[in-house]
Amino acid sequence: MISQINNIIGDNHTKSKKNYMKLLIKTGDINKLDVDALIVFAWENDLSVFSKFNTAMATYLKEAGTHEEFEGKEGQFLTTSSKGMISAYKLIITGLGKKDNFDIYEIYKNIALSLRKAKEFKPVKVALIPSEYWLEKYPVRKIYKIMVEASYLANYRFSKYKSEASLMKLRTVEELIMYTHPGRITGAELGMKEGLVVSEAVCFSRDLINEPACVTTPEYLSKVALSESKNSKNNTKVNIIEFDEIKKLGMGAFLGVARGSEEPPKFIRLQYKPKNSKKKIVLIGKGITFDTGGLSLKPVEYMETMKLDMAGAACVLAIFNALNQLSVSVEVVGLIAACENMPSGRALKPGDILTAMNGKTIEVLNTDAEGRLTIADAISFAVQKEKPDEIIDIATLTGACRVALGEEIAGIWGNDTKMVDLLVESGKNSGEKVWKMPLEKEYKELIKSSIADVRNIQIGRFGGAISAALFLAEFVSDISWAHLDIAGPAYAEKDTSLSEKGGVGFGVRLLLQYLTTK
Ligand code: BES
Ligand code: ZN
Ligand code: ZN
């Protein structure tokens, strides 16, 4: 039995970007899977997966395994030609390590690593057979969703600016087959469709981050948002608030940051409202389309990657592509205060005082701590105009968070323990790592200003990620709020299992997981 998944739902985005893979589901005899590479998984001290194959292949695998000392340990691969014993050309057996210490993240990682391994053989058709043990521990739907996401994310490339000649050399996976048993087809299909929607959203966000800042200006982001409202599948309304109205609204902090740039700022609002929604959640994405630091100019090597500073905005925009298709039942409003942070004759100066939309005054001592200024006004807007049940902001906010948690883990703060815990749980369930950080009251002293209500940087050198979160908390009032600092994981400095160097699309999986379980 064979059916194709991505004919059923949209694939316009990835198709046009050369990342398109035909996604199929297949049942039947695994010995007869006619592919270039077949991937299966083995556990440490449990190589029972060999016996899934016919006797000749199983015997050969046992011999090869002994010869190559393959024990199913984490990171071990046994790769072999099938020598005509089965229809697949190459067989890749990925070691998963011990059964007792695996989680969702490990499943993502191992599938992605297997696909990367398979790609060494330049296959056109690849088939994946999930571990039976995964299917004992998690629902079928969940595992097939992960299989699709991990494969798509590992296969993603930002190739738009590569010349055709160098692209021709790359053989890419054109067909991806997920193997299953007849009894699991319904669950597998559902999971694969969901996985495809999520994957497309993550790739959409990666594309936006990877585009250079000369393309992704505030205006460009506003056009991307508007195009989402034109897609009938999205069930989304979009309005762009222009300079004059931003001024009328009193967003002095946001306009202060935007002042140095030739590019006009845009305040972007997206709204997804399903019938009978019982809750309203506001998502705010940091949308600094390029962060030079402003007059507090960044050193050359720190500025190199600062097109990434709209990764929060990219995440929010990507999410709106998926809400309707995933039948999210809560109302979601997305807010992006998009601008550049540039030095110029008009630019914000250290020592300037700005007034935010909620009336609070801010002494700007470092113009490079600009994200919190723009988000302060977006939060104030959410509180005053949207009156939501929850606010979540996602931002490449501080280098300090990157220092504290590294390049894999985002920091999370909030004023509602239950909500923060649910977000941490959503991270675990979607394979994106978040770590709970303290909103330490004692440190509030450090952001008090002598001449205004707050300073935009703390006194002293330490705890920069916490003081940034405390700064944002000043604008929240009593609404449930969580803040995700993704300065570490938003951008990969080198290739990882699930991402090539560049934009990671961090937060899309996590927040879609959170919103679909609401
Ligand atoms: N956009 C940066 C934070 C950042 C750094 C994101 C590295 C991703 C990777 C932010 O606007 C910034 O410059 N923060 C300053 C704050 C400081 C001046 C208090 C920082 O972290 O150095
Ligand atoms: Zn900055
Ligand atoms: Zn920034």
Side-chain angles (χ1 to χ4, degrees):
M1 212 264 340
I2 179 162
S3 69
Q4 188 172 338
I5 299 297
N6 47 356
N7 269 350
I8 304 167
I9 58 164
D11 53 33
N12 298 336
H13 175 71
T14 39
K15 204 176 209 165
S16 61
K17 291 276 164 50
K18 281 190 182 273
N19 286 308
Y20 177 76
M21 286 190 284
K22 204 182 207 182
L23 187 59
L24 303 160
I25 184 163
K26 242 182 186 178
T27 55
D29 185 354
I30 65 166
N31 296 292
K32 293 190 182 139
L33 280 171
D34 186 13
V35 290
D36 304 307
L38 174 59
I39 299 167
V40 297
F41 300 90
W43 296 92
E44 190 166 340
N45 304 321
D46 174 5
L47 305 180
S48 54
V49 71
F50 291 175
S51 56
K52 277 187 178 278
F53 297 99
N54 59 36
T55 324
M57 192 75 234
T59 313
Y60 178 77
L61 284 174
K62 257 182 224 154
E63 277 167 25
T66 314
H67 190 73
E68 294 187 25
E69 297 179 354
F70 177 80
E71 292 166 321
K73 285 197 172 132
E74 201 188 338
Q76 264 189 332
F77 290 99
L78 178 63
T79 54
T80 171
S81 292
S82 68
K83 301 186 177 11
M85 288 179 277
I86 59 173
S87 303
Y89 178 68
K90 282 267 179 195
L91 189 53
I92 292 144
I93 299 165
T94 304
L96 295 174
K98 296 209 169 68
K99 275 185 180 165
D100 43 6
N101 51 13
F102 89 99
D103 54 19
I104 297 271
Y105 174 81
E106 293 290 322
I107 303 179
Y108 272 103
K109 186 179 83 182
N110 281 300
I111 294 167
L113 287 175
S114 308
L115 206 84
R116 282 182 190 278
K117 190 77 192 166
K119 282 175 85 171
E120 287 175 17
F121 306 109
K122 310 226 179 296
V124 174
K125 282 188 193 181
V126 177
L128 267 164
I129 303 182
S131 158
E132 279 300 315
Y133 193 64
W134 294 342
L135 292 157
E136 278 170 33
K137 292 279 163 188
Y138 296 102
V140 173
R141 182 171 173 170
K142 175 104 199 154
I143 294 299
Y144 281 81
K145 175 173 180 279
I146 296 174
M147 280 161 63
V148 171
E149 289 175 19
S151 312
Y152 264 71
L153 300 190
N155 199 46
Y156 171 89
R157 290 198 76 239
F158 186 68
S159 51
K160 189 175 165 189
Y161 295 100
K162 291 273 188 196
S163 64
E164 279 301 316
S166 60
L167 268 183
M168 292 307 275
K169 282 190 213 132
L170 296 166
R171 244 177 109 183
T172 51
V173 179
E174 286 170 16
E175 235 180 79
L176 188 65
I177 296 163
M178 305 292 177
Y179 178 81
T180 193
H181 294 309
R184 290 177 178 151
I185 283 196
T186 317
E189 266 186 5
L190 279 171
M192 285 167 74
K193 285 180 207 167
E194 284 167 359
L196 200 58
V197 174
V198 176
S199 306
E200 286 183 350
V202 178
C203 294
F204 183 90
S205 145
R206 285 182 178 180
D207 280 350
L208 275 176
I209 301 165
N210 287 331
E211 280 288 354
C214 60
V215 175
T216 45
T217 56
E219 176 157 19
Y220 184 90
L221 291 188
S222 70
K223 287 198 171 133
V224 170
L226 283 170
S227 72
E228 296 192 14
S229 68
K230 286 180 193 120
N231 183 344
S232 59
K233 271 195 317 198
N234 289 350
N235 192 16
T236 295
K237 274 202 296 200
V238 174
N239 38 312
I240 309 298
I241 302 176
E242 305 283 351
F243 180 85
D244 288 344
E245 208 184 328
I246 300 174
K247 205 167 168 193
K248 255 193 230 152
L249 285 164
M251 296 189 180
F254 173 33
L255 287 182
V257 178
R259 217 157 66 196
S261 171
E262 296 290 323
E263 295 288 339
K266 305 275 171 182
F267 191 83
I268 302 166
R269 178 182 184 273
L270 305 100
Q271 182 187 30
Y272 163 82
K273 196 172 190 312
K275 278 197 190 101
N276 309 322
S277 52
K278 290 193 186 72
K279 261 198 164 185
K280 179 173 179 180
I281 299 179
V282 168
L283 300 180
I284 297 171
K286 176 173 171 182
I288 300 296
T289 60
F290 196 76
D291 183 9
T292 64
L295 287 177
S296 313
L297 198 66
K298 283 182 186 294
V300 185
E301 62 274 24
Y302 285 42
M303 211 192 288
E304 231 174 62
T305 54
M306 277 303 138
K307 65 175 183 181
L308 67 75
D309 220 15
M310 37 60 78
C315 171
V316 171
L317 289 171
I319 282 172
F320 275 83
N321 272 330
L323 294 171
N324 199 39
Q325 294 179 76
L326 295 175
S327 315
V328 167
S329 61
V330 289
E331 179 181 351
V332 186
V333 167
L335 300 176
I336 299 163
C339 69
E340 283 182 338
N341 186 23
M342 298 290 281
S344 80
R346 284 189 318 209
L348 186 62
K349 301 170 197 74
D352 282 358
I353 294 174
L354 302 172
T355 306
M357 186 177 167
N358 73 344
K360 283 206 180 177
T361 55
I362 306 163
E363 184 185 7
V364 178
L365 290 152
N366 190 320
T367 62
D368 196 11
E370 83 299 337
R372 67 197 74 181
L373 301 173
T374 60
I375 297 171
D377 271 337
I379 293 177
S380 302
F381 182 94
V383 171
Q384 285 177 34
K385 304 282 179 194
E386 305 288 353
K387 302 187 175 55
D389 298 289
E390 292 178 5
I391 298 174
I392 303 171
D393 75 78
I394 176 157
T396 47
L397 205 63
T398 67
C401 196
R402 198 150 168 251
V403 171
L405 298 173
E407 293 189 321
E408 287 264 332
I409 309 167
I412 186 166
W413 288 258
N415 59 4
D416 176 339
T417 315
K418 229 171 138 186
M419 179 182 167
V420 170
D421 289 346
L422 277 173
L423 280 158
V424 171
E425 204 47 39
S426 300
K428 285 188 184 141
N429 273 320
S430 61
E432 293 200 303
K433 295 177 183 177
V434 281
W435 194 257
K436 202 164 150 181
M437 303 283 273
L439 208 54
E440 178 55 56
K441 270 204 271 177
E442 293 303 313
Y443 296 173
K444 268 191 173 177
E445 279 301 311
L446 303 176
I447 53 164
K448 278 202 176 136
S449 162
S450 54
I451 57 167
D453 296 331
V454 274
R455 308 159 49 98
N456 81 326
I457 52 162
Q458 85 272 16
I459 297 165
R461 280 169 50 211
F462 307 113
I466 299 175
S467 54
L470 283 168
F471 179 93
L472 297 182
E474 293 287 320
F475 300 86
V476 171
S477 79
D478 52 3
I479 294 174
S480 287
W481 158 76
H483 155 59
L484 285 156
D485 191 333
I486 58 165
Y491 197 87
E493 294 286 348
K494 54 177 173 22
D495 290 357
T496 66
S497 54
L498 280 157
S499 174
E500 66 165 0
K501 179 179 180 337
V504 170
F506 191 95
V508 175
R509 284 187 282 149
L510 158 78
L511 290 175
L512 283 176
Q513 174 72 32
Y514 182 73
L515 294 170
T516 43
T517 41
K518 276 272 151 190

